[in-house]
Amino acid sequence: MVVAAVCVHIGMLFLHVAPSNTVTKEHGRTVEDWIYPEFEQNWKLFAPNPLQQNVAVEVRARVRTADGSSRTTRWYNLSAQDGAAIDHNPLPSHTQQNELRRGWDFFVATHDAQNRPTGLRGELSERYVRRIALLRLDRNEPLAHAEAFDQVQVRSHTTPVPPPEWSDEKISTKPVQRVLPWWSVTPSDLPLADEDRARRDVAAEGRDVAAEGKGAVR
């Protein structure tokens, strides 16, 4: 049974990375269900274009306080947190390894240098990165009663990996920073518990405004 399972797994991996063929056209969904999410394959460790950069993604937020004012949190290095969770862990989770990295790759691939969407999936990638950021902020920045995340901002630091000593390749190792604009937070961006709370807050604000309006009319 073990040998049979190994053979099936190797066969699925082969079909996943192989060019499109009759089998994958007919059974592509079955292959994808077997591969994703735990056994996903990509070529970033191999020629011709191995990944040669260290990318750190950071996030901060503006928090609306109970008295109506706002405060700005410090920057949180989400990539460093994922790295710390993976180090010395023989079985790191798929989320720790890939969620943030793939989300950021998704954003970069669908936006230009001015952070403008270049295709139909640009808005989707923004929502995805924003939700990841808020999930992580929810762990790092516990909110007091009646506080809420109002806006979030994401930035990245990309540092090229220097070539080995025996190589004659010359590259700049100067870090490059990419700072995104502030994004407003909507209830649908928040974790489910916070989303329900945010909807209640919005409803309460609406009732307060309506009550003030009635008072002004009187």
Side-chain angles (χ1 to χ4, degrees):
M1 291 179 64
V2 172
V3 171
V6 170
C7 290
V8 170
H9 182 64
I10 293 175
M12 290 293 189
L13 288 175
F14 172 78
L15 291 172
H16 176 64
V17 300
S20 179
N21 55 69
T22 304
V23 177
T24 54
K25 289 179 181 178
E26 183 69 23
H27 303 288
R29 182 61 182 271
T30 301
V31 174
E32 289 183 359
D33 290 343
W34 181 279
I35 294 296
Y36 294 107
E38 296 298 336
F39 306 116
E40 179 186 3
Q41 306 292 307
N42 63 65
W43 298 100
K44 288 193 173 181
L45 289 178
F46 306 100
N49 295 308
L51 187 63
Q52 297 180 345
Q53 298 173 330
N54 288 320
V55 181
V57 180
E58 301 178 338
V59 64
R60 66 176 176 175
R62 283 182 180 146
V63 178
R64 186 176 69 251
T65 59
D67 61 3
S69 61
S70 65
R71 62 180 176 86
T72 302
T73 69
R74 67 180 180 85
W75 287 102
Y76 291 97
N77 190 329
L78 306 185
S79 299
Q81 293 175 3
D82 282 353
I86 293 171
D87 284 347
H88 311 298
N89 185 349
L91 296 172
S93 74
H94 183 76
T95 298
Q96 291 167 340
Q97 297 179 76
N98 294 311
E99 180 186 61
L100 177 65
R101 179 181 63 83
R102 294 300 301 275
W104 184 249
D105 286 348
F106 183 26
F107 178 88
V108 172
T110 56
H111 287 73
D112 61 19
Q114 286 71 45
N115 301 315
R116 295 174 301 198
T118 57
L120 297 177
R121 301 207 302 166
E123 184 180 350
L124 176 62
S125 69
E126 288 183 11
R127 291 202 307 269
Y128 187 58
V129 171
R130 190 160 62 240
R131 290 180 181 183
I132 292 174
L134 285 164
L135 281 170
R136 306 297 183 87
L137 280 168
D138 196 53
R139 305 171 198 164
N140 288 287
E141 190 76 19
L143 299 179
H145 177 68
E147 289 189 336
F149 291 118
D150 194 31
Q151 293 180 309
V152 294
Q153 187 178 33
V154 179
R155 71 181 182 186
S156 70
H157 292 274
T158 301
T159 307
V161 176
E165 295 181 357
W166 46 262
S167 173
D168 58 1
E169 182 182 5
K170 303 296 182 181
I171 64 171
S172 173
T173 57
K174 181 180 179 180
V176 177
Q177 187 179 75
R178 180 170 185 165
V179 182
L180 306 189
W182 285 97
W183 286 333
S184 297
V185 177
T186 65
S188 62
D189 295 324
L190 300 169
L192 291 178
D194 291 335
E195 179 181 347
D196 293 339
R197 183 180 64 186
R199 294 186 188 280
R200 291 196 299 270
D201 291 345
V202 171
E205 290 177 3
R207 289 194 297 271
D208 293 342
V209 171
E212 291 177 1
K214 289 181 180 179
V217 171
R218 290 174 186 172

